[in-house]
Amino acid sequence: MEIDQEVYVQLKATGRFEMMSLDVDEAEHSLELHMPFIVHTMRGPSYKLVPIMVGALTTEGEEQYGKILGPYLDDPTNLFVVSSDFCHWGSRFNYTYYNRDQGQIWESIKWLDYLGMDAIEGGNPADFATYLETYRNTICGRHPIGVFLNMLQHSKLQHRIQFTKYDQSSKCTSQSHSSVSYAAAVVTIVDGS
């Protein structure tokens, strides 16, 4: 894989990006998890990669990065991969939100995740931020998702977000259980003609 040095220079010039230290790079595992998937999926055509790790941001920070990165969505040859799992439920994650009106614990988790997925599909970063503030769902990639939703606001093109798959690592029925949820979405350009 080739790193797109031209885009790196452009992003660095904004003064908003920094290089990861070796310690952070060695502790971080998300890129290592995605590289084999990207290489397998993109086999054949040549491409350049611009890995960006998003840390903890305020909603204002998400908006600032969305404004910087949004115009890159206008080039239909660019592909963005934003990764996150969803709810980490259980005492070991310090998160045990349970809406008994939804049925079993796993059904409550699914309901909770679908509320978040609906907010994301709506494409409005403020709605997703409100959802997170209301439910405190333990979505690891909430900040990259927030950045991406803000990118949509700063693109000239119209996009549609659609979740295509959802699952949980286990179906919790007891407070002693735990699970992690997973969801996959695809973002497409809406034809404006």
Side-chain angles (χ1 to χ4, degrees), residues 86-99 105 108-113 115 131-139 172 174-175 177-181:
F86 268 61
C87 185
H88 290 62
W89 193 94
S91 59
R92 70 187 181 122
F93 300 118
N94 295 316
Y95 188 76
T96 55
Y97 178 89
Y98 181 21
N99 180 341
I105 294 170
S108 173
I109 296 167
K110 182 177 179 178
W111 169 81
L112 179 68
D113 283 336
L115 286 177
Y131 161 79
L132 291 171
E133 187 175 317
T134 301
Y135 296 101
R136 305 308 234 194
N137 196 349
T138 51
I139 299 172
C172 296
S174 164
Q175 290 288 333
H177 294 168
S178 65
S179 79
V180 177
S181 304

Side-chain angles (χ1 to χ4, degrees), residues 32-104:
E32 287 84 358
L33 291 173
H34 291 90
M35 288 299 99
F37 171 75
I38 292 170
V39 168
H40 175 76
T41 303
M42 298 296 291
R43 67 188 176 277
S46 67
Y47 61 93
K48 294 180 181 178
L49 192 65
V50 181
I52 300 172
M53 186 177 79
V54 178
L57 296 172
T58 62
T59 53
E60 294 79 15
E62 292 172 0
E63 184 177 2
Q64 290 173 359
Y65 285 102
K67 187 175 185 178
I68 293 167
L69 295 168
Y72 291 96
L73 286 173
D74 296 338
D75 181 346
T77 65
N78 287 338
L79 170 70
F80 286 82
V81 177
V82 178
S83 175
S84 177
D85 29 26
F86 268 61
C87 185
H88 290 62
W89 193 94
S91 59
R92 70 187 181 122
F93 300 118
N94 295 316
Y95 188 76
T96 55
Y97 178 89
Y98 181 21
N99 180 341
R100 286 174 169 67
D101 293 341
Q102 300 305 315
Q104 295 279 348

Side-chain angles (χ1 to χ4, degrees), residues 9 31 42 77 87 107 121 125 163:
V9 168
L31 195 56
M42 298 296 291
T77 65
C87 185
E107 293 169 309
E121 283 184 336
F163 278 86

